Amino acid sequence: MPVLALGYIGVDARELDQWRAFGTDVLAMQVIERGSDALALRMDERCQRVLVQRSERDGPAFFGFETAGEQAMKDTVAGLKVTRASEQELKLRRVDDMAWCRDPAGNRIEFYHGQAAGEGPLQLPRPHGGFRTGPLGMGHMVLHAEDIDAMSAFYRDAVGLRLSDYMIKPYRLMFLRANPRHHTVGLLQSANNGVHHVMFEALALDDVGRAYDFALERWRIGQTLGRHANDWVLSFYAFCPAGFMMEYGWGGRTVNEASWTPREVTHGGSMWGHDRLWMDEERRKTANEVRRKTILSGLGAPLQVTRGQYKEVD
């Protein structure tokens, strides 16, 4: 059985104080101390969706994919060379069982079942409408890939993700899903391997604006406020203390599994906005020219949501 969703991520951190501030200011998640060497970020009824562990490095540590139960997890990892989780790892992740392997780019991918619920009611640090999670998981991740074909084979054949859409020019980009969320994993052909970004989706548009204000005050913006052309998310990107970007968005598109057909994206990544501040000037200029053509074409899309209400679209 394919995996259900991206359930959690792990991050290595030399200092935890920056994560306490970022988790509160930008992400608006409940920060929970896990002893002196770890902290958790809680965004829904689960005990945590982000686990930050003290380390000698800053960077992504692991990505956890949820399975439906013990047998489903066994079926998922049957054809993979995996390592069983230690008791300490199970304790930190608060899951019943977990096994992990490396994808072709070297990212640690964990398969688990039975994550614990949070202790007590969710207590977000400011007024907030909550996050779109549940069966859709915590959000999505996009990975740099030197060998996008090997990565595609791993995530489609081994993990069981399905192709939503793709881009060929000006670079190769693939969007794969585990559930009706438009994509769970994105794969970007690149000169390097690593994490491009992780996305969280708020239920209220105003919470994206509030987070953007906090990000502008003291954090580095990676991409300005904008709206994507394929999944229709309205979002911005900020660099987290681990050095990669986190996207904070609203209004994501869902996929009707019975009628969806994969399609090529030919009009660039965004309908408007998303100025890529992280790029060098030459590449940024090229990206802005592509976006300008898209803006002049009048490309748009209907809003998918009102506060807390979503429907599937073909």
Side-chain angles (χ1 to χ4, degrees), residues 17-18 28 65 75 77 79 97 129 138 146 152 158 165 171 195-196 199 217 231 245 255 275 279 284 288:
D17 287 344
Q18 289 288 300
F65 286 91
D75 292 343
V77 303
D97 198 9
M138 59 155 276
E146 289 183 296
S152 173
D165 53 35
Y171 44 77
V195 180
H196 184 275
M199 188 278 280
E217 283 184 7
D231 71 356
M245 291 186 292
V255 167
D275 187 0
M279 283 184 170
R284 184 182 171 194
N288 287 344

Side-chain angles (χ1 to χ4, degrees), residues 38 45 82 86 100 102 112 118 123 128 130 141 147 177 205 215 233 250 287 290:
E45 77 285 349
V82 297
S86 67
W100 63 273
R102 300 281 179 183
Y112 74 92
Q123 297 179 352
H128 195 285
M141 65 182 188
D147 188 342
R177 70 184 185 277
L205 175 58
V233 167
W250 169 85
V290 171

Side-chain angles (χ1 to χ4, degrees), residues 141-271:
M141 65 182 188
V142 173
L143 304 173
H144 292 286
E146 289 183 296
D147 188 342
I148 195 171
D149 294 317
M151 289 283 276
S152 173
F154 174 82
Y155 283 99
R156 296 173 72 177
D157 299 338
V159 182
L161 304 187
R162 301 170 295 286
L163 181 67
S164 290
D165 53 35
Y166 58 94
M167 186 183 297
I168 297 176
K169 295 180 180 180
Y171 44 77
R172 292 185 65 192
L173 185 58
M174 304 178 69
F175 297 92
L176 311 173
R177 70 184 185 277
N179 53 56
R181 191 187 292 276
H182 177 272
H183 59 280
T184 304
V185 174
L187 301 175
L188 173 63
Q189 182 74 57
S190 179
N192 303 294
N193 293 318
V195 180
H196 184 275
H197 73 268
V198 173
M199 188 278 280
F200 305 101
E201 186 176 355
L203 288 174
L205 175 58
D206 287 339
D207 287 320
V208 177
R210 295 181 184 110
Y212 193 49
D213 279 348
F214 276 103
L216 286 169
E217 283 184 7
R218 60 176 297 191
W219 304 97
R220 180 187 169 198
I221 299 295
Q223 293 183 194
T224 60
L225 196 68
R227 194 173 184 212
H228 285 303
N230 63 342
D231 71 356
W232 300 349
V233 167
L234 193 159
S235 65
F236 72 91
Y237 296 64
F239 280 93
C240 73
F244 61 92
M245 291 186 292
M246 288 189 165
E247 180 185 8
Y248 208 80
W250 169 85
R253 187 179 196 175
T254 53
V255 167
N256 186 324
E257 292 284 0
S259 60
W260 185 267
T261 300
R263 59 203 71 183
E264 181 183 353
V265 178
T266 59
H267 38 58
S270 302
M271 293 183 279

